[in-house]
Amino acid sequence: MNPNHHKPILLAFFTLLLLQLQNPINASPSPPITALYAFGDSTVDSGNNNYIPTLFRSNHPPYGKSFPAKLSTGRFSDGKLATDFLASSLGLKSTIPAYLNPTVKPVDLLTGVSFASAGGGLDDRTAMLSSTLAMDKQWSYFEEAVRKMKSVVGDSETNRVIKNALFVISAGTNDMIYNVYDHALGRFISVSDYHDFLLSKVEAFVQRLHDAGARRIAVVGLPPIGCLPVQVTLGTFTSLPLPRIFRHRICSENQNADSRLYNQKLKNLNFRLNQRLRGSKVLHLDIYSPLMDMIKHPHKYGLEETLKGCCGTGLLEAGPLCKPLSRTCDDVSKYLFFDSVHPSQKAYSVIATFALQNVLPLL
């Protein structure tokens, strides 16, 4: 018998097997994301700081100049945050409100809310320095929110919402800036050791979320901290004659290398957490790559200024220093940063698109 006679049959069999492996009939599609809950710092704070006694506020112009009705909501940007764009793309709601906003009703909690606090971090010392909400306090507000949801829709529906919700943890930048780069503590602790300390806090928080029923968790990595306008300014102050700071602006490669090291450690931690917390997805939401791409290839995104903020001189102003009377740039959509620390709405939309393409499919 001709041995080649079996080849087409074998080929057809393997093709069928391959298709079955790629499309297993019994694999049910993941249920849609029910809500988005955010914890951390100003990158995901929709205005909780408006309701606590702190100087770290942005509920005044020029913040919000690109927001609907030019509303200064307490978001540290000219408009929406990445979490707002994600929520609207997922069909949850147009923006994620701040938990402490008195207009937020218990029923609103079922589709998502932010517990984050600008100026906060993974390290409790960071929140103490800025009189903002530490992660423990944010957690206690989440527990309170769960009780409110249960009072509205009952235990099983609340548990279903939590199980299928997306939880975003975005913190770490303030910790590095306050406690390592611009603080005496930085002389006493190695960057790598401090990373490990922060990541132990991430691990504990993810464990808490898992114990509360969360199964889809995205942990945001560090941005290129050395390219934040304030860090560029401070780095330049120490190394150049003053008049040149307006001309000669370059990122701190050391600080960027630190961010990359942290992000690699975060990926390793997430891998371990996924092994341990069976049934959970713990993913790294990379903001370093999209921000760096915007800095290196601004014209691809219609950007013109990447190392100065739109508010004031763009070198140092943020929060209380970015004031209603501060001059602002003519066209904020051409700016990567709105103030000296925080991305513009345009940059946040790019980050959200990057997350939708690279992280959401894995959830």
Side-chain angles (χ1 to χ4, degrees), residues 33 35-39 139 142 162-170 202-220 266 269-271 273-274 277 279-285 359-360 362-363:
I33 290 171
L36 191 158
Y37 300 104
F39 300 86
W139 180 259
F142 171 66
I162 289 169
K163 182 183 177 185
N164 296 307
L166 171 60
F167 288 81
V168 177
I169 304 167
S170 181
V202 170
E203 183 170 9
F205 203 83
V206 169
Q207 182 70 54
R208 259 181 172 180
L209 284 171
H210 180 266
D211 293 347
R215 293 297 178 265
R216 293 162 162 171
I217 301 163
V219 187
V220 179
L266 174 61
L269 169 64
N270 289 348
F271 179 78
L273 286 167
N274 284 315
L277 308 174
S280 281
K281 289 269 173 68
V282 187
L283 299 174
H284 167 228
L285 203 163
V359 178
L360 271 286
L362 303 174
L363 292 164

Side-chain angles (χ1 to χ4, degrees), residues 195 222-225 255-264 288:
H195 284 168
L222 289 180
I225 292 178
Q255 292 179 10
N256 286 353
D258 292 343
S259 294
R260 292 194 298 273
L261 175 65
Y262 175 91
N263 293 340
Q264 187 52 55
Y288 187 100

Side-chain angles (χ1 to χ4, degrees), residues 163-349:
K163 182 183 177 185
N164 296 307
L166 171 60
F167 288 81
V168 177
I169 304 167
S170 181
T173 303
N174 293 333
D175 297 307
M176 292 301 296
I177 291 174
Y178 297 177
N179 300 314
V180 178
Y181 299 136
D182 304 344
H183 191 267
L185 179 69
R187 297 188 199 118
F188 300 110
I189 188 164
S190 81
V191 167
S192 185
D193 285 349
Y194 193 62
H195 284 168
D196 295 342
F197 168 73
L198 295 179
L199 290 165
S200 71
K201 296 286 188 182
V202 170
E203 183 170 9
F205 203 83
V206 169
Q207 182 70 54
R208 259 181 172 180
L209 284 171
H210 180 266
D211 293 347
R215 293 297 178 265
R216 293 162 162 171
I217 301 163
V219 187
V220 179
L222 289 180
I225 292 178
C227 293
L228 301 182
V230 66
Q231 294 304 102
V232 173
T233 301
L234 294 175
T236 320
F237 265 134
T238 57
S239 60
L240 289 173
L242 282 187
R244 289 181 60 193
I245 68 164
F246 297 99
R247 300 198 303 271
H248 193 85
R249 293 179 66 72
I250 51 169
C251 300
S252 159
E253 181 43 42
N254 285 347
Q255 292 179 10
N256 286 353
D258 292 343
S259 294
R260 292 194 298 273
L261 175 65
Y262 175 91
N263 293 340
Q264 187 52 55
K265 287 182 174 185
L266 174 61
K267 284 183 202 165
N268 298 342
L269 169 64
N270 289 348
F271 179 78
R272 292 196 303 276
L273 286 167
N274 284 315
Q275 301 294 103
R276 192 173 85 219
L277 308 174
R278 292 291 178 189
S280 281
K281 289 269 173 68
V282 187
L283 299 174
H284 167 228
L285 203 163
D286 176 13
I287 57 168
Y288 187 100
S289 301
L291 283 169
M292 213 61 212
D293 200 54
M294 285 185 264
I295 289 165
K296 287 181 175 168
H297 311 286
H299 298 300
K300 194 163 105 182
Y301 301 92
L303 297 170
E304 288 175 8
E305 182 54 74
T306 58
L307 296 182
K308 274 177 21 187
C310 167
C311 180
T313 63
L315 305 178
L316 284 168
E317 297 90 343
L321 298 177
C322 180
K323 300 191 285 283
L325 296 177
S326 299
R327 67 175 187 82
T328 51
C329 60
D330 294 332
D331 185 356
V332 66
S333 73
K334 291 184 164 55
Y335 277 67
L336 173 56
F337 291 97
F338 181 63
D339 62 19
S340 70
V341 179
H342 302 100
S344 62
Q345 173 175 272
K346 170 77 165 277
Y348 277 130
S349 74

Side-chain angles (χ1 to χ4, degrees), residues 44-64:
V44 289
D45 178 5
S46 339
N48 285 308
N49 279 17
N50 301 352
Y51 309 100
I52 61 172
T54 177
L55 287 173
F56 280 72
R57 287 189 187 176
S58 58
N59 56 342
H60 52 80
Y63 289 104

